[in-house]
Amino acid sequence: MPLSNGGSTAKVFTSGENYLTGHSEDDPDEVPGIVHALGVRSTIATPLHVAGEPRGVLSVVSPTPDYFDEGDLRFLQAASRWLGLVAGRA
């Protein structure tokens, strides 16, 4: 997804901050197609770093409101670190 489209994914990439929401439809910065066309209601996202450099965002979405919690976000962060390590060694 291009950074110029904005939305939560672009915000995670540019800020380096994690993202967790159970109501994507209430986020005024979310890309409308994510909410309306895809029906996304819950999102967790975390930056993906390879060799210390930001390379992307790892995100998981659901059509169910309030589907994810802080524990899910911590798991996603761990998965992102692992993927970054693997990618850095490839």
Side-chain angles (χ1 to χ4, degrees), residues 4 7 12 16 20-21 24 36 42 48 51 57 60 68 73 76 85 87-88:
S4 60
V12 169
L20 166 74
T21 186
S24 296
H36 300 298
S42 296
L48 174 65
V57 174
V60 181
F68 304 111
L73 181 58
L76 190 66
L85 286 171

Side-chain angles (χ1 to χ4, degrees), residues 8-9 12-13 16-20 43-49 56-60 72-81:
S8 60
T9 304
V12 169
F13 183 79
E17 301 283 322
N18 297 313
Y19 182 77
L20 166 74
T43 302
I44 52 174
T46 191
L48 174 65
H49 291 89
V57 174
L58 186 58
S59 69
V60 181
D72 297 314
L73 181 58
R74 284 191 302 275
F75 177 81
L76 190 66
Q77 287 175 283
S80 180
R81 286 190 297 272

Side-chain angles (χ1 to χ4, degrees), residues 15-63:
S15 72
E17 301 283 322
N18 297 313
Y19 182 77
L20 166 74
T21 186
H23 293 279
S24 296
E25 71 276 13
D26 293 338
D27 184 346
D29 296 327
E30 188 58 271
V31 176
I34 299 292
V35 174
H36 300 298
L38 298 178
V40 171
R41 295 297 177 261
S42 296
T43 302
I44 52 174
T46 191
L48 174 65
H49 291 89
V50 177
E53 297 291 321
R55 296 293 183 203
V57 174
L58 186 58
S59 69
V60 181
V61 299
S62 172

